[in-house]
Amino acid sequence: MGMGTSTFVIRWVNLLTMLLAVAVIIFGVWMSTHNDGCRRSLTFPVLALGGFIFLISIIGFLGACKRSVALLWIYLAVLLIVLIAILVFTVLAFIITNNGSGHSNPGLRYKEYKLNDYSSWFLKELNNTNNWKRLKSCLVKSEQCRKLSKKYKTIKQLKSAELTPIEAGCCRPPSECGYPAVNASYYDLSFHSISSNKDCKLYKNLRTIKCYNCDS
């Protein structure tokens, strides 16, 4: 592929990514207008991502248009740094969450999770009071737990469903508690559980409590 063809490709690819970056920035501005603190908290990361993509794209676009070797080298260097950062992030995420892949239970298609399976750094960050308060508030507002009873009309459907980690860990008590399910989002807590798992006592059917304080 000749120099002319390669610069042509770089020019159009970066024009498209510039348009994508503008869309991301507009989305970030739109999120900032919400009264919901959970969405507003994502405004800066989204705007930063959009700005970063736009900056890289414009460097590549100008380098291709002007056939500037210096700009194209800067463009390639930044892309290399981004790729290395993605690789490092992927490796770290794997190391942190590798042991937390979940535990299978007989008769259930979904897995259950325990905090102690994760790395000490992850536990420290999650157990930070301010971090967890903010996360818990957003989880409650998302009403994922309340929607379970609409998604799964029968207990059989619930047991055969592939629940997300949030649905399996935050919306229901651990299976070992043995609480009979009235529906997908409500359990009969009058049942006397013989399990020593402290999560059994922490779980409540209230929308704002559920199992948000559980180790699961």
Side-chain angles (χ1 to χ4, degrees):
M1 186 165 62
M3 179 67 177
T5 306
S6 61
T7 53
F8 175 81
V9 172
I10 292 172
R11 187 161 58 233
W12 278 101
V13 166
N14 283 283
L15 180 61
L16 291 174
T17 52
M18 269 195 285
L19 294 174
L20 173 65
V22 170
V24 172
I25 291 169
I26 291 172
F27 180 66
V29 172
W30 174 76
M31 291 186 77
S32 69
T33 62
H34 279 75
N35 294 324
D36 186 354
C38 299
R39 291 184 182 179
R40 278 209 316 272
S41 66
L42 295 173
T43 299
F44 178 74
V46 171
L47 288 175
L49 176 64
F52 185 66
I53 294 172
F54 186 83
L55 180 63
I56 295 175
S57 300
I58 204 164
I59 291 173
F61 183 76
L62 290 175
C65 286
K66 296 179 179 295
R67 300 200 175 188
S68 169
V69 176
L71 284 177
L72 288 174
W73 272 111
I74 292 171
Y75 173 69
L76 291 173
V78 173
L79 280 184
L80 179 63
I81 292 169
V82 169
L83 289 173
I84 292 172
I86 291 172
L87 180 62
V88 170
F89 174 81
T90 303
V91 171
L92 286 175
F94 178 77
I95 292 171
I96 291 170
T97 62
N98 183 38
N99 293 326
S101 56
H103 303 270
S104 299
N105 287 292
L108 301 176
R109 288 191 66 185
Y110 54 84
K111 294 182 177 180
E112 293 187 328
Y113 302 83
K114 294 180 180 178
L115 281 182
N116 292 332
D117 292 338
Y118 294 89
S119 70
S120 57
W121 176 85
F122 182 80
L123 289 177
K124 182 181 176 183
E125 291 300 311
L126 193 64
N127 287 326
N128 179 292
T129 305
N130 291 329
N131 288 346
W132 182 240
K133 271 187 177 179
R134 187 168 64 253
L135 285 169
K136 180 183 173 182
S137 172
C138 293
L139 287 171
V140 171
K141 285 179 181 177
S142 72
E143 296 197 328
Q144 287 197 50
C145 296
R146 188 178 64 83
K147 294 173 184 175
L148 281 180
S149 58
K150 294 181 179 179
K151 285 171 67 177
Y152 309 111
K153 303 295 184 183
T154 65
I155 305 304
K156 185 178 179 180
Q157 287 179 341
L158 176 67
K159 289 183 177 180
S160 61
E162 293 185 5
L163 301 182
T164 66
I166 290 176
E167 290 172 339
C170 297
C171 302
R172 50 179 299 283
S175 297
E176 64 182 277
C177 299
Y179 294 132
V182 177
N183 58 46
S185 58
Y186 194 92
Y187 290 80
D188 181 6
L189 302 185
S190 64
F191 176 82
H192 180 66
S193 175
I194 59 172
S195 173
S196 59
N197 189 335
K198 65 177 183 179
D199 288 354
C200 297
K201 292 183 178 179
L202 289 173
Y203 176 84
K204 302 294 179 205
N205 284 313
L206 291 174
R207 183 182 67 86
T208 55
I209 299 177
K210 290 293 183 179
C211 219
Y212 293 120
N213 294 320
C214 302
D215 283 344
S216 61

